[in-house]
Amino acid sequence: MKKLVLALALAGALGVHAETLKTDVVVIGSGGAGLSSAVTTHDLGNQVIVLEKMGIIGGNTNRAEGGINAAETQQQKEAGIPDTVDQFFSDTMKGGHDINDARLVRVVTTKAKDSVAWLTSLGADLKTVGRAGGAKFNRAHRPSDGSAVGPEIMKTLWKAVKDRNIEVRRNSQAVEILKNKKGAVVGVKVKGKDGKVYTIESKAVVLATGGFGANNAMVTKYKPSLKGYATTNHAGATGDGITLALKAGASLVDMDQIQAHPTATPDGVLISESVRGDGAILVNSQGKRFTNELLTRDVVSNNELKQPGRFAWIVWDEPVTKTAKLIQEYIHMGLAVTGNTYEELAQKMNVPADALVATMKRYSELQAKGKDEDFGRADMPQALKTAPFYAVKVQPAVHHTMGGVHIDTKAEVIDTKGQPIPGLFAAGEVTGGVHGGNRLGGNAQADIVTFGRISGQSADAYIKGLTK
Ligand code: ADP
C-alpha cells in the first residue's frame, strides 16, 4: 500500500498519469488521412485509438475546398471525360516540377479512383467532376451542389468512425513515439486535456498529423523567404509529426518545398482554386489582368507578388456564383465587394474604373473567340458580363507543406539509413514526396485518402506478421 501511494505521488510529481491503455493501432491525427487509416485498419480486424490534439476533429481536411482528383472513375466515364491514370501521373509530376517521388505518385494516381469509390460506398457525394489548375482533364470530384469537398469527406469518415465505435480521443496530443530495444514501435505517450501524460501501448502507430503551415518558425527554418506570411491552415498545423518522427529516427524529404496559395484573403480565408476554374479572373490594383489564372499555384503566387502592393483582386460575375454553393458562401461571409456595373465594382475595389471596364470587355471578347491571346488561358467557361459582379482582395498565403516524413509505397516510415522503422507508418500532409515542388489542387485529398487507406492496410499486415 505504502509503495502504491509512493508510486502515485511520484507519478503526480513528475506529471505522469498512471493510466496505461492497450490497443492494436494508434492513429495520431483525425484529418482525412487519419480517419481513412483508422476505418481501414479497423475493418481488417484491429482495435484502433485515434488521437486528436485539438478540441475538434478534421484538421486542414475540414478546409479543403476544391475536390478530390482521380482518373478513370465511374463519374468521369459517365461524363465522357477521356482522362487516364497516365495523364494524371504526368500532370502531377509536371505540376510538382518533376522532383516528386515517382513511385509514390504512381500509387496515388493509380489508386485514387478506388479512394473515390470507397468514399462513395461510405456515402460521400462526389458526383460532380470539375477542373483544377494544372490538370489536363476535369478530374476534381466534388459534391453535386458545389459545396466544399473537405467537409463532405470528413462527414463521411466521421460517420464511418461512429458506426464502428472507433475510439477518438480529442484534446489528446501525442508527445512521443515509443520504441523497444530492437527499434520497433510499441506505443505512444499522450498528453491529455488535464496536461497529464500517459502511455498507450500498441503494435503499430500511424502518423497522420498533417503539415506545419501554421508554424511560421518551422516554415521559416526551411524557407526563410516566407517569414511573416499569413496561412490558410488550421491552428493545429504546427508540424508535431515532424518533431515526433525525427525523434523516432525518421528521415525527412523536401522540407523546403512549401506552397503559397495565390488566393487567400488578407485574413487567411482561402478562396478556392475552383472559383478560377469556374470562370473568375485576377486583376491587379490597376484593374489589369496579369496572368493566366489557371497556371500552377506557385507561378500564379509569384506573378501576384510582382504586382503593385503584392496583391490582386479575384473578379467574377453572377453565372460563376451560380456554379457553386461555396462561392455563394464567400458572398454571405461578406468577403466580396459587389457592383451592378464594372464601374461600380471598380469604385469599391478602389481601382481605375476605365481600366477595369476595358479589361473585362477584352476578356469577354477573348472568351467569345475561345482563345486567350493575352495570357494563354486554356479554359474560359464564362464571359463575365452578367451582373451583379463580385471581387475579393487576395494575396498568397502559406497553404501546403509538400515536404515531410519519408515514406515508401507501403506508407512505412523510412529511417536515416533507408530502412523502414518497424511498426511506424505515416500518411497525408505529414509525409513528403507525393507533391514534389508544388501540389496541384485536388491532389491533397487524393493523397490523404489513398495513403491513409494504405497505412491502415500496412499496419494490419505488419501486425499479422508479428504473430507469425
Ligand atoms: P491530413 O490532411 O494529412 O489528414 P489534417 O490537417 O487534415 O491532415 O489532420 C491532421 C490532424 O492531426 C489535425 O486535426 C491536427 O490537429 C492533428 N494533430 C497534429 N499533431 C497532433 C498530435 N501531436 N497529436 C494528436 N493530433 C495531432
Side-chain angles (χ1 to χ4, degrees), residues 432-456:
V434 171
H435 307 294
N438 176 61
R439 176 178 68 75
L440 294 182
N443 270 4
Q445 302 309 297
D447 170 27
I448 65 172
V449 179
T450 303
F451 267 110
R453 296 178 73 210
I454 291 171
S455 66

Side-chain angles (χ1 to χ4, degrees), residues 161-441:
V161 162
K162 289 267 134 205
D163 288 348
R164 289 160 175 76
N165 276 322
I166 295 172
E167 182 176 354
V168 178
R169 298 190 150 216
R170 297 179 221 209
N171 299 301
S172 302
Q173 181 182 22
V175 290
E176 191 181 343
I177 294 168
L178 302 169
K179 289 163 93 176
N180 65 14
K181 283 194 189 122
K182 289 185 191 153
V185 166
V186 290
V188 291
K189 276 196 177 163
V190 187
K191 193 186 201 182
K193 194 176 185 174
D194 52 9
K196 289 186 182 147
V197 175
Y198 61 96
T199 300
I200 306 181
E201 290 173 4
S202 68
K203 296 170 189 158
V205 170
V206 176
L207 255 186
T209 46
F212 57 97
N215 181 345
N216 198 252
M218 198 182 274
V219 164
T220 314
K221 175 174 166 197
Y222 293 105
K223 195 168 177 180
S225 62
L226 298 178
K227 190 170 172 53
Y229 260 54
T231 182
T232 61
N233 285 201
H234 85 117
T238 50
D240 289 21
I242 303 293
T243 312
L244 289 168
L246 275 178
K247 211 170 159 210
S251 56
L252 305 177
V253 292
D254 297 341
M255 288 299 284
D256 57 342
Q257 300 301 328
I258 299 173
Q259 181 178 67
H261 193 292
T263 57
T265 69
D267 297 329
V269 178
L270 179 71
I271 305 297
S272 170
E273 190 163 287
S274 61
V275 184
R276 278 169 288 143
D278 287 350
I281 64 166
L282 292 172
V283 302
N284 64 15
S285 59
Q286 293 160 343
K288 292 185 182 150
R289 263 181 98 205
F290 56 89
T291 186
N292 168 353
E293 293 82 1
L294 298 185
L295 293 174
T296 50
R297 291 172 175 180
D298 51 343
V299 179
V300 178
S301 294
N302 282 336
N303 289 344
E304 229 167 66
L305 291 176
K306 287 182 203 146
Q307 305 312 306
R310 295 161 66 88
F311 69 90
W313 289 90
I314 179 165
V315 180
W316 71 89
D317 72 346
E318 188 59 14
V320 174
T321 304
K322 290 227 172 80
T323 58
K325 202 168 152 191
L326 185 66
I327 304 179
Q328 291 146 30
E329 276 163 15
Y330 297 142
I331 296 165
H332 291 151
M333 282 163 78
L335 298 176
V337 291
T338 314
N340 282 319
T341 60
Y342 277 122
E343 284 86 351
E344 192 188 338
L345 191 71
Q347 215 177 24
K348 296 204 183 143
M349 292 161 66
N350 198 19
V351 306
D354 49 351
L356 184 68
V357 170
T359 298
M360 301 316 293
K361 186 163 169 280
R362 169 83 180 148
Y363 185 79
S364 300
E365 286 161 11
L366 295 174
Q367 196 263 352
K369 271 195 205 169
K371 190 162 193 282
D372 180 7
E373 289 160 3
D374 295 346
F375 296 100
R377 174 175 171 149
D379 191 41
M380 295 184 283
Q382 300 287 347
L384 302 184
K385 52 184 188 186
T386 310
F389 305 111
Y390 304 90
V392 177
K393 191 174 184 177
V394 289
Q395 63 184 40
V398 172
H399 186 53
H400 194 95
T401 46
M402 274 83 67
V405 175
H406 185 187
I407 56 164
D408 63 12
T409 53
K410 291 195 267 179
E412 296 173 309
V413 173
I414 305 301
D415 70 13
T416 48
K417 296 193 183 92
Q419 296 303 314
I421 299 174
L424 186 58
F425 304 88
E429 197 176 344
V430 70
T431 68
V434 171
H435 307 294
N438 176 61
R439 176 178 68 75
L440 294 182

